[in-house]
Amino acid sequence: MSSVIERLCAVLPDEAVISGAESLQVYECDALSAYRTLPRFVVLPADIDQVQAVLRICYEENIPVVARGAGTGLSGGALPVADGLVLSLAKLNRILAIDPERRLARVQPGVRNLSVSEAAAPYGLFYAPDPSSQIACTIGGNVAENSGGVHCLKYGLTVHNIAALKILTMEGELLEIGSEALDAPGFDLLALMTGSEGMLGVVVEVTLKLLPKPVQQQILLAAFDSVEAAGHGVAAIIACGIIPAGLEMMDNACIRAVEDYVHAGYPVDAAAILLCELDGVPEEVKSSGKEVADILVKSGATEVRMARDEAEGEKFWVGRKAAFPAVGRIAADYYCMDGTIPRKHIAGVLQTIADLSREYGLGVVNVFHAGDGNLHPLILYDVAVPGELEQAEELGGRILEACVAAGGTITGEHGVGIEKINQMCVQFNAQELTLFHGIKHAFDPPGLLNPGKAVPTLKRCAEFGAMHVHAGQLPFPDLERF
């Protein structure tokens, strides 16, 4: 390995190559801290040429590579490989250009999500995807996981808000995918790359779509005496043809945790609350606001409160975005899940989660993007209690399987990573997984980019017991390492 370090130091400054055990611990996990692995190396290149050189060395030396942004991922997607290299893109953090006329921003992958909207604000523009971690998460990571946020209901996920990508393959070849035009010829590789979790290539530049800031916004808070009634309220709003900018739900446990933490003004006795944001021109917002309030009352809301001003509306949203750290104050540890279901099944799936919570004896706090059915159950446990982490993992798997049974998916925006890899065997059949392996093989024949993540082997699925696989054979023998 000393020869590898020498080769890396030949293309990078000495301080950009980390190999000491103590320094490597910073990179041993992402925000899903339940899984930890110490990498062999970490490198911090400062430009595309340096990233390219590192990849070529790793390709020639047969070293696995895990690309890493800010480490805010919640599925173990940036978990290192024990004998591999972590490729940190933190130094590629420049906004290269803002084009207000074409409403585009060209950025490097290490740029923080929130920084894009801050840079676009003087032009009356913003970048729509806004994960709760937007103050820290990076655009490259957003592309890898196809991140959403509270405004994804109306404005879409990352895949709907990017125009072009520059990608480096494992061999170091630079690919330009997509176009600044309305469409690009050929296969939709832009959508394929978005959400591919660093398994097909390394993102080194992203062209983002910017949107005009809405003329007016109105935030409503509705309280309900049952989670089921709140779920019916969500479905009723969408059914009437109104698409809010954001539509979020929290259950009572989450409401209390958030209120104790940030004092957002939430009604702590409510079984559930909905936060609904409407935006557009003043006449439209006023009309829609009245209609939504009426719908929520008919759906069983015990209180509907319109934010009196921008400050109070901002306070409502601060509470929602503080949900994860707020829950961190009430439990030794929590395990954050991410599944998506059809809106009409919200009430039923939440009841299933409550039943599973009682069965496992572990508390579950629910907060989610209700408008698009993206659930984030937070399972409370204590890692210091023997067996509780394993119980939390098993409970999480059962929740995801309930989402699939309801016609949903095992992830909405956090990705599969290592966390949900067994549940991939529940959602997809052998033929579909074989196709996924074929795509992986086409882009990364030696299987060095983020190995062991997202797509399970058919053998693993056979052992997991979710599908019958003939002798556990894979379509490509050299993909057995996955």
Side-chain angles (χ1 to χ4, degrees):
M1 286 294 182
S2 60
S3 63
V4 175
I5 292 178
E6 289 174 2
R7 292 192 67 184
L8 291 171
C9 288
V11 298
L12 297 171
D14 290 347
E15 66 273 13
V17 180
I18 301 171
S19 58
E22 186 174 340
S23 299
L24 291 173
Q25 286 182 343
V26 176
Y27 300 89
E28 67 180 355
C29 65
D30 56 15
L32 182 68
S33 58
Y35 307 123
R36 297 173 183 267
T37 301
L38 210 63
R40 180 65 186 86
F41 315 102
V42 174
V43 296
L44 292 95
D47 57 39
I48 292 178
D49 290 341
Q50 290 182 357
V51 177
Q52 200 167 34
V54 168
L55 287 171
R56 285 172 175 163
I57 291 170
C58 291
Y59 178 72
E60 292 165 6
E61 299 281 352
N62 201 40
I63 296 173
V65 174
V66 177
R68 178 186 173 97
T72 60
L74 289 163
S75 63
L79 185 74
V81 176
D83 60 343
L85 176 142
V86 169
L87 176 62
S88 172
L89 299 166
K91 289 187 176 180
L92 277 74
N93 59 2
R94 292 187 299 125
I95 295 177
L96 302 172
I98 299 283
D99 186 339
E101 292 186 358
R102 301 179 69 190
R103 298 177 184 169
L104 297 173
R106 200 161 51 84
V107 307
Q108 293 183 316
V111 169
R112 292 182 307 117
N113 176 287
L114 186 59
S115 296
V116 180
S117 287
E118 290 173 341
Y123 306 102
L125 303 172
F126 76 109
Y127 178 61
D130 56 346
S132 294
S133 59
Q134 70 175 149
I135 193 171
C137 67
T138 59
I139 293 297
N142 292 172
V143 172
E145 305 296 345
N146 193 21
S147 301
V150 298
H151 290 104
C152 65
L153 173 60
K154 182 173 183 178
Y155 296 112
L157 302 163
T158 298
V159 69
H160 306 112
N161 289 276
I162 59 176
L165 295 172
K166 286 186 180 179
I167 301 281
L168 284 172
T169 68
M170 187 62 220
E171 295 93 332
E173 181 183 1
L174 182 64
L175 306 178
E176 296 190 24
I177 296 170
S179 168
E180 293 185 1
L182 293 177
D183 198 4
F187 295 113
D188 188 4
L189 297 181
L190 191 66
L192 176 65
M193 285 292 176
T194 308
S196 60
E197 303 194 31
M199 296 179 63
L200 304 181
V202 176
V203 176
V204 290
E205 189 178 302
V206 188
T207 301
L208 305 170
K209 299 176 184 178
L210 303 175
L211 297 173
K213 293 179 72 173
V215 177
Q216 186 169 323
Q217 296 171 312
Q218 177 66 64
I219 317 296
L220 292 83
L221 184 155
F224 294 84
D225 56 13
S226 75
V227 172
E228 291 78 12
H232 294 317
V234 171
I237 290 172
I238 303 300
C240 80
I242 295 175
I243 305 297
L247 188 56
E248 303 288 303
M249 185 190 291
M250 288 184 268
D251 69 6
N252 181 260
C254 188
I255 294 166
R256 289 179 177 274
V258 169
E259 190 59 23
D260 285 344
Y261 183 43
V262 297
H263 310 295
Y266 293 164
V268 295
D269 293 330
I273 64 169
L274 287 180
L275 293 176
C276 179
E277 178 179 309
L278 304 166
D279 65 10
V281 297
E283 295 80 5
E284 176 190 12
V285 171
K286 183 178 180 180
S287 172
S288 296
K290 185 180 184 307
E291 188 173 356
V292 167
D294 290 343
I295 290 169
L296 293 173
V297 170
K298 289 177 183 176
S299 298
T302 56
E303 176 189 6
V304 177
R305 190 190 313 166
M306 289 201 181
R308 294 185 297 268
D309 50 33
E310 185 176 341
E312 186 176 31
E314 181 63 26
K315 201 173 183 181
F316 288 166
W317 277 130
V318 166
R320 166 59 186 89
K321 292 204 171 187
F324 287 8
V327 172
R329 298 171 72 243
I330 65 173
D333 301 280
Y334 70 78
Y335 188 39
C336 178
M337 302 310 299
D338 166 49
T340 300
I341 58 173
R343 284 182 291 264
K344 64 182 179 180
H345 293 308
I346 287 176
V349 171
L350 287 177
Q351 183 58 56
T352 298
I353 292 172
D355 294 340
L356 289 170
S357 173
R358 285 189 291 271
E359 178 183 336
Y360 282 83
L362 297 175
V364 179
V365 175
N366 290 291
V367 54
F368 57 97
H369 310 309
D372 60 348
N374 188 189
L375 308 178
H376 292 318
L378 308 179
I379 302 169
L380 311 183
Y381 72 100
D382 187 345
V383 72
V385 177
E388 276 209 1
L389 170 59
E390 291 73 20
Q391 277 186 295
E393 289 178 308
E394 186 177 325
L395 171 54
R398 294 277 300 277
I399 290 172
L400 295 178
E401 289 162 22
C403 290
V404 174
T409 69
I410 63 170
T411 181
E413 57 178 337
H414 292 177
V416 176
I418 194 68
E419 174 196 49
K420 307 183 187 79
I421 198 161
N422 285 339
Q423 279 66 46
M424 284 287 286
C425 305
V426 176
Q427 182 168 342
F428 296 101
N429 61 35
Q431 290 75 24
E432 290 165 332
L433 291 174
T434 298
L435 177 61
F436 295 161
H437 281 295
I439 294 170
K440 168 69 171 172
H441 185 76
F443 280 87
D444 178 24
L448 295 174
L449 285 172
N450 215 8
K453 311 288 176 58
V455 184
T457 61
L458 302 187
K459 181 178 180 181
R460 178 171 187 150
C461 288
E463 292 170 350
F464 181 63
M467 63 166 64
H468 174 70
V469 181
H470 229 7
Q473 294 298 309
L474 287 171
F476 303 105
D478 58 342
L479 289 179
E480 185 65 33
R481 64 185 301 152
F482 299 112

